[in-house]
Amino acid sequence: MNPIKSENSQTTIISIPSKEKSIVRKYNPFDGKLYIPSKEGAYLVDKDSIVRLEASGNYTTIYLNNGAQHLVSKTMKKIVEKLPDTIFFKIHKSHVVNLSMLTFVGNSKVEIEGKIQLPLSRAVKSKLQDLLNDIKY
């Protein structure tokens, strides 16, 4: 199954072998971005630039790799739905991290970029260890 896209088109056609017709999905140039509303307007940030999310009730703080922080009035669950689950991992009930930013994994904590320590839930520790087994030598 290969997508077909012409250079001048903003439509991607995906052919699925079945009785159904091809599915047409519009190309969206903002697929790699996350929309973060603010008082002044909205920030469009690259999903890859997100270091971590921290929940506090119905609010979530989004931390970026350039040091910026954005407090949004959305639950962490709503934001995580917009992020790729292959990159972002929930390490605790109030913390989601970008796995590519991890520098240390301990028994009850993880470290991001060698300086930020966050709690690691016992319930998800084994899932994280399973992911790490793929890169062990």
Side-chain angles (χ1 to χ4, degrees), residues 10-120:
Q10 291 199 359
T11 302
T12 302
I13 299 174
I14 299 174
S15 228
I16 300 175
S18 73
K19 294 178 184 177
E20 300 294 321
K21 295 200 178 212
S22 297
I23 296 173
V24 177
R25 181 177 48 162
K26 278 195 152 200
Y27 169 73
N28 187 344
F30 299 113
D31 274 346
K33 303 274 187 184
L34 183 67
Y35 179 93
I36 302 175
S38 73
K39 291 178 188 174
E40 302 82 29
Y43 294 97
L44 298 172
V45 299
D46 287 327
K47 291 177 182 177
D48 293 340
S49 70
I50 298 171
V51 175
R52 66 188 179 103
L53 306 174
E54 185 174 352
S56 179
N58 288 330
Y59 292 87
T60 304
T61 304
I62 301 169
Y63 295 87
L64 304 179
N65 61 3
N66 65 2
Q69 299 175 18
H70 298 283
L71 179 66
V72 294
S73 61
K74 297 277 183 213
T75 62
M76 187 168 68
K77 181 179 179 179
K78 287 285 186 190
I79 296 170
V80 169
E81 289 172 356
K82 301 288 185 186
L83 300 174
D85 60 359
T86 55
I87 299 172
F88 293 91
F89 187 80
K90 188 174 184 177
I91 59 166
H92 190 267
K93 66 181 180 180
S94 59
H95 295 282
V96 170
V97 297
N98 181 334
L99 290 173
S100 67
M101 305 288 183
L102 286 181
T103 54
F104 175 79
V105 177
N107 289 326
S108 61
K109 66 181 178 181
V110 297
E111 196 169 270
I112 299 174
E113 298 179 324
K115 55 188 172 200
I116 302 163
Q117 293 185 356
L118 300 170
L120 175 62

